[in-house]
């Protein structure tokens, strides 16, 4: 078999071609690796300070069943508790816990709802959203307490590009939260029934799109600050805290804190793919409340399988999501609200499982008296 020899100049050309090709491939691989954002989860929430709070009972006779939300409106406390209740909202005096009245009927008629997925309090209005009927009901508390007939307005969301999960009242518009990247957040004008300022970015918690959507949707708490300048979304699985600025009816991401890595299972047969908790899931935020200068969160920070032997921690974060102070209480809180002067109110249960509405104040060290 004849042997062919290449001239030296040809060999050099081939060698340079191969080196060039390898360099291009290496550069592409390097760029692809750099484009993948690796999240470093913090693994803990460590506040700078700790404060012990004493409970001052306001009401321990009302039969709470599952108090999911607590709101403050001037001299009133409004508790959302619709589980095993005929009416869903209950009004108490903030000063002494006196029960005044309940409102918000379950049903399919005008001003009624079957399933409440979000509750929002702004400008003296309680906004309630039923996702299955795409129905927003806005209650005017002043008209309600004066027994006016027209104490609520009702809106139906038409032609949404996906399933709308939450609705928050915002300056004659509503901020809507959807379940996919067709519409993650958007402002909706009920007078023109138009969507605008759609925000579709997600934190990349998973390489699978549908998993990523559902991780930021499962049990998430979305809250507005009283002044309407900040929106916060805090996840139940993993404890991911997203903080948005609101400017000119647009959401702008300010910061994300990745406290715990999400661990999860999948709901069988769900389309799109839908995550659910597993025994190994690190449970994050149970509840969230915003003031204009702070974020308050009820945070578990432990595995689901161990929730029966622990209770969520009340933590105050600054506007960037930095944990500033933790509060220790004798009660297990399920919902909380913070007044303008920093006073904390909550509904929780004691070691005997008894629910009570309380005002929480710093404990006095008797040794210092």
């Amino acid at each position: 078999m004849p042997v062919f020899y290449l001239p030296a100049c040809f060999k050099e050309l081939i060698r340079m071609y191969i080196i060039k090709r390898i360099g291009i491939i290496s550069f592409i691989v390097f760029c692809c690796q750099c484009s993948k954002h690796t999240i470093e989860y913090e693994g803990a929430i460590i506040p700078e300070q700790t404060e012990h709070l004493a409970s001052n009972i306001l009401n321990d006779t009302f039969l709470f069943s599952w108090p999911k939300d607590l709101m403050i409106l001037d001299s009133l406390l409004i508790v959302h508790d619709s589980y095993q209740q005929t009416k869903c909202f209950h009004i108490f005096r903030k000063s002494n816990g006196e029960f005044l009245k309940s409102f918000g009927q379950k049903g399919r008629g005008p001003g009624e709802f079957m399933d409440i997925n979000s509750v929002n309090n702004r400008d003296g209005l309680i906004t309630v959203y039923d996702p299955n009927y795409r129905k927003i009901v806005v209650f005017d508390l002043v008209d309600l307490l004066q027994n006016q007939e027209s104490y609520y307005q009702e809106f139906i969301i038409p032609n949404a590009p996906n399933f709308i999960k939450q609705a928050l009242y915002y300056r004659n518009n509503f901020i809507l939260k959807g379940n996919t990247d067709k519409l993650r957040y958007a402002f909706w004008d009920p007078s023109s029934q138009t969507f605008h300022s759609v925000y579709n970015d997600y934190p990349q918690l998973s390489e699978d799109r549908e998993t990523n959507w559902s991780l930021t949707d499962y049990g998430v708490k979305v809250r507005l600050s009283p002044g309407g300048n900040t929106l916060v979304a805090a996840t139940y699985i993993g404890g991911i805290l997203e903080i948005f600025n609101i400017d000119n009816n647009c959401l702008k991401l300010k910061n994300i804190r990745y406290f715990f890595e999400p661990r999860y299972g999948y709901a069988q047969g769900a389309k799109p793919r839908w995550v659910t908790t597993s025994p190994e899931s690190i449970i994050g935020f149970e509840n969230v409340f915003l003031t204009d200068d702070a974020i308050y969160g009820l945070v578990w920070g432990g595995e689901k399988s161990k929730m029966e032997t622990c209770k969520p921690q009340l933590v105050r974060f600054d506007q960037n999501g930095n944990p500033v102070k933790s509060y220790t209480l004798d009660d297990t809180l399920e919902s909380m609200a913070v007044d303008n002067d920093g006073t904390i109110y909550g509904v929780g249960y004691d070691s005997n499982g008894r629910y009570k509405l309380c005002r929480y104040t710093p404990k006095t060290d008797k040794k210092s008296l």
Side-chain angles (χ1 to χ4, degrees):
M1 183 174 182
V3 178
F4 296 94
Y5 293 94
L6 292 173
C9 60
F10 284 172
K11 291 181 179 179
E12 182 64 21
L13 285 173
I14 292 172
R15 187 179 69 84
M16 291 179 64
Y17 175 78
I18 293 173
I19 291 174
K20 184 177 179 181
R21 295 290 292 180
I22 292 174
I24 292 173
I25 293 171
S26 299
F27 179 75
I28 292 172
V29 171
F30 174 78
C31 289
C32 290
Q33 290 176 340
C34 290
S35 65
K36 292 182 180 179
H37 174 61
T38 302
I39 296 174
E40 294 185 4
Y41 293 96
E42 300 180 39
I45 295 177
I46 306 175
E48 300 170 358
Q49 307 170 37
T50 300
E51 185 173 63
H52 299 272
L53 299 180
S55 59
N56 302 280
I57 298 174
L58 298 176
N59 192 307
D60 60 356
T61 58
F62 187 87
L63 296 178
F64 293 108
S65 55
W66 188 6
K68 297 178 69 175
D69 298 284
L70 178 61
M71 296 159 280
I72 298 175
L73 179 61
D74 297 329
S75 62
L76 304 175
L77 297 171
I78 302 98
V79 179
H80 164 214
D81 185 351
S82 53
Y83 182 69
Q84 295 182 343
Q85 304 273 13
T86 304
K87 294 189 176 180
C88 303
F89 297 92
H90 317 283
I91 306 174
F92 303 84
R93 290 194 192 280
K94 188 172 65 176
S95 58
N96 59 12
E98 178 190 358
F99 171 69
L100 298 178
K101 69 184 304 180
S102 296
F103 69 96
Q105 188 79 21
K106 288 184 179 179
R108 295 177 174 83
E112 299 176 345
F113 22 74
M114 293 300 296
D115 179 33
I116 297 174
N117 212 42
S118 69
V119 176
N120 168 237
N121 170 36
R122 288 199 75 241
D123 302 333
L125 304 173
I126 304 291
T127 303
V128 184
Y129 180 61
D130 184 332
N132 294 315
Y133 289 92
R134 296 175 297 146
K135 179 194 288 189
I136 302 172
V137 182
V138 180
F139 293 98
D140 187 314
L141 265 293
V142 174
D143 290 345
L144 175 69
L145 292 170
Q146 293 177 350
N147 296 316
Q148 300 289 330
E149 291 185 4
S150 57
Y151 62 87
Y152 70 87
Q153 288 182 284
E154 185 175 293
F155 306 91
I156 303 296
I157 304 173
N159 304 319
N162 57 6
F163 187 64
I164 302 300
K165 299 291 292 290
Q166 301 192 38
L168 297 87
Y169 178 75
Y170 180 80
R171 300 177 183 173
N172 297 320
N173 278 228
F174 294 94
I175 298 176
L176 305 182
K177 183 191 179 306
N179 69 332
T180 69
D181 62 359
K182 291 182 179 179
L183 184 157
R184 188 186 181 199
Y185 293 106
F187 290 77
W188 181 62
D189 184 344
S191 60
S192 61
Q193 296 194 344
T194 55
F195 301 90
H196 59 94
S197 303
V198 177
Y199 181 94
N200 281 336
D201 291 340
Y202 281 82
Q204 296 303 308
L205 307 177
S206 169
E207 294 183 0
D208 179 76
R209 281 197 318 157
E210 294 181 358
T211 300
N212 206 50
W213 301 339
S214 57
L215 279 172
T216 57
D217 193 55
Y218 184 96
V220 67
K221 296 295 182 182
V222 181
R223 305 295 194 206
L224 269 172
S225 63
N229 298 318
T230 303
L231 182 138
V232 164
T235 67
Y236 185 73
I237 298 177
I240 313 302
L241 183 65
E242 292 180 88
I243 304 167
F244 300 89
N245 288 331
I246 303 177
D247 185 25
N248 294 324
N249 282 13
C250 289
L251 291 182
K252 296 180 180 178
L253 182 65
K254 180 180 181 181
N255 198 17
I256 305 180
R257 297 298 294 264
Y258 302 95
F259 288 116
F260 305 101
E261 184 173 3
R263 305 174 192 166
Y264 48 87
Y266 288 104
Q268 292 185 355
K271 293 184 179 181
R273 181 175 290 186
W274 183 250
V275 302
T276 185
T277 57
S278 68
E280 295 76 28
S281 293
I282 303 295
I283 304 303
F285 289 87
E286 178 75 30
N287 218 323
V288 174
F289 188 91
L290 266 63
T291 64
D292 281 325
D293 59 2
I295 302 163
Y296 291 80
L298 278 177
V299 188
W300 287 97
E303 292 184 359
K304 183 183 178 184
S305 59
K306 300 177 181 178
M307 289 174 68
E308 292 184 1
T309 59
C310 62
K311 57 185 178 182
Q313 182 182 26
L314 178 60
V315 180
R316 177 163 64 88
F317 303 82
D318 65 19
Q319 291 180 313
N320 288 311
N322 300 308
V324 176
K325 181 184 287 189
S326 66
Y327 301 90
T328 59
L329 305 88
D330 295 330
D331 303 329
T332 300
L333 284 183
E334 292 204 353
S335 58
M336 76 291 182
V338 184
D339 213 343
N340 295 329
D341 62 359
T343 302
I344 297 172
Y345 296 85
V347 186
Y349 53 89
D350 58 23
S351 57
N352 296 317
R354 182 183 62 167
Y355 274 112
K356 51 189 177 180
L357 173 64
C358 292
R359 180 190 301 114
Y360 294 95
T361 55
K363 275 189 176 180
T364 303
D365 186 357
K366 294 181 180 180
K367 294 181 181 180
S368 65
L369 295 178

